[in-house]
Amino acid sequence: MILNTGSRTDIPAYYSDWFYNRIQEGYVLARNPYYPSQIIKYMLNPEVVDVMVFCTKNPLPMLDRIERLSAFDTFWFVTITPYGKEIEPYVPNKEQVIHSFCQLSRLVGRNRISWRYDPIFLTDKYSIAWHIERFQYMAKALSGYTSQCVVSFIDLYEKTKKNFGGVRSVAKEEQEQLIDAFSKISKKYALQIHLCCEDAGLVRENVDADGCMSKSVLEKALGCKLDVPGKKTARKECSCLLGADIGAYNTCGHGCLYCYANYDRKTVAANWKKHRADSPLLIGEVTKDDIIKPAEQKSWKNGQLDLFDMI
């Protein structure tokens, strides 16, 4: 099975102590965000967890103890975007994140780390020309440290519109102009671009719409086939394996205006006060009214890929 940590928050950036405590204890509890009294218990055992997937804007807090994950296969998405503090107020300096990305790549391997350049939005400051120039710069800086990049355009969720007034969607012709340029840049730096829930009409050389955390992406990273049970996907156009997430909404501290996972800073601050590094839950404690159910966990690995599959 695939254990996810990053669809709801940024565990490496803000909760690394808690996560490593969970590794030591050998299990973690995750509260159902839609039915809060229901809690799922996941065993953190490499015999049933085929890969742990992280999604972060700052992997640095995890790196000094990463040997504690040596029994597990991991896959990392690191988001590096060109926006300033007025958009991403608490994201570290981008040069620092690039340095941490390269350090992480050396530790886990370039096939187990992906650069996320998303979400893309346009303003007078963050123009098409700006995006192309910064994408070129970052692609060059990360060259040799990853083989893939995830690209998506901003989705205007209600939370996003509330927190990011005036933002607009990116028009089709603007998307095409950007992807045409990104395709040429990615070819130069040996990157495969995975579009995240975008129109298949944007597929180009070095650009696919097959999913960023799809079965095929993880199989290539792991070097083996996965027998993934049929499950309903998060979105009909998404082939990514997004279930079994141990995070919690309204807990990420980056404060990005475009964030879909936070309602507002006040809610995040209130949840931070409930966090304890020694609790099996990311936020709060188990109560007498909670119902804890063990997750159905088994390995999906099924044999090695041949050389043709790896290409």
Side-chain angles (χ1 to χ4, degrees):
M1 57 99 51
I2 310 303
L3 191 75
N4 291 304
T5 74
S7 297
R8 302 170 184 169
T9 193
D10 190 332
I11 286 176
Y14 292 101
Y15 303 103
S16 60
D17 290 340
W18 173 82
F19 184 78
Y20 281 126
N21 285 341
R22 293 296 89 225
I23 293 294
Q24 184 175 354
E25 292 290 328
Y27 76 98
V28 64
L29 301 182
R31 193 178 292 279
N32 187 318
Y34 306 106
Y35 303 96
S37 64
Q38 297 181 10
I39 294 175
I40 300 177
K41 181 177 182 178
Y42 295 99
M43 301 307 299
L44 301 180
N45 183 336
E47 292 185 4
V48 293
V49 177
D50 297 313
V51 59
M52 291 181 174
V53 179
F54 298 92
C55 190
T56 181
K57 293 182 178 179
N58 180 20
L60 184 61
M62 294 283 286
L63 301 188
D64 63 345
R65 295 163 286 178
I66 200 168
E67 71 279 356
R68 299 184 191 182
L69 300 179
S70 60
F72 296 90
D73 286 315
T74 62
F75 193 93
W76 299 75
F77 292 93
V78 180
T79 301
I80 314 175
T81 48
Y83 308 120
K85 292 295 185 181
E86 82 283 6
I87 304 296
E88 300 174 337
Y90 302 106
V91 175
N93 175 276
K94 302 306 170 67
E95 295 301 325
Q96 176 188 319
V97 182
I98 288 172
H99 177 77
S100 298
F101 185 108
C102 297
Q103 184 180 356
L104 176 60
S105 176
R106 288 190 288 266
L107 291 168
V108 302
R110 66 189 296 268
N111 291 323
R112 297 193 178 195
I113 185 169
S114 179
W115 166 36
R116 293 193 70 99
Y117 188 95
D118 75 318
I120 295 171
F121 61 84
L122 297 173
T123 66
D124 289 342
K125 178 178 179 180
Y126 302 113
S127 63
I128 288 176
W130 171 271
H131 277 288
I132 293 172
E133 188 276 327
R134 297 314 293 170
F135 186 87
Q136 163 88 19
Y137 172 82
M138 293 178 182
K140 181 178 180 179
L142 300 174
S143 178
Y145 292 98
T146 184
S147 59
Q148 54 194 290
C149 176
V150 179
V151 171
S152 74
F153 298 95
I154 194 165
D155 290 315
L156 298 184
Y157 300 106
E158 289 304 315
K159 291 179 186 178
T160 305
K161 289 188 284 188
K162 177 178 72 71
N163 294 320
F164 194 0
V167 66
R168 67 172 180 85
S169 58
V170 182
K172 180 180 178 182
E173 57 270 21
E174 294 169 326
Q175 293 183 14
E176 291 175 343
Q177 188 175 347
L178 283 163
I179 294 302
D180 285 343
F182 287 6
S183 172
K184 294 174 183 176
I185 294 168
S186 67
K187 182 178 181 181
K188 179 178 179 180
Y189 294 107
L191 288 171
Q192 177 66 35
I193 292 179
H194 302 300
L195 297 173
C196 180
C197 289
E198 299 297 344
D199 189 342
L202 293 172
V203 170
R204 304 284 191 274
E205 184 178 12
N206 289 75
V207 181
D208 67 54
D210 301 330
C212 55
M213 202 177 82
S214 63
K215 177 174 176 284
S216 61
V217 167
L218 293 179
E219 283 179 337
K220 288 180 180 179
L222 296 172
C224 69
K225 293 286 189 181
L226 295 173
D227 288 334
V228 179
K231 292 183 179 180
K232 184 179 179 181
T233 58
R235 292 184 284 184
K236 65 179 182 179
E237 67 271 29
C238 180
S239 62
C240 294
L241 307 177
L242 296 176
D245 195 295
I246 63 171
Y249 292 117
N250 296 304
T251 61
C252 182
H254 292 308
C256 303
L257 297 190
Y258 51 74
C259 181
Y260 68 87
N262 286 347
Y263 183 75
D264 56 31
R265 291 291 296 176
K266 183 178 179 180
T267 306
V268 172
N271 280 330
W272 274 1
K273 293 178 180 179
K274 301 175 186 176
H275 171 71
R276 281 181 49 192
D278 60 352
S279 172
L281 286 162
L282 182 64
I283 300 299
E285 303 286 348
V286 178
T287 73
K288 62 180 179 63
D289 297 321
D290 289 329
I291 301 171
I292 301 176
K293 294 184 178 181
E296 296 182 9
Q297 293 179 263
K298 67 176 183 178
S299 176
W300 296 343
K301 291 180 178 178
N302 180 22
Q304 300 296 308
L305 292 172
D306 60 32
L307 182 60
F308 180 78
D309 292 320
M310 297 291 287
I311 297 174

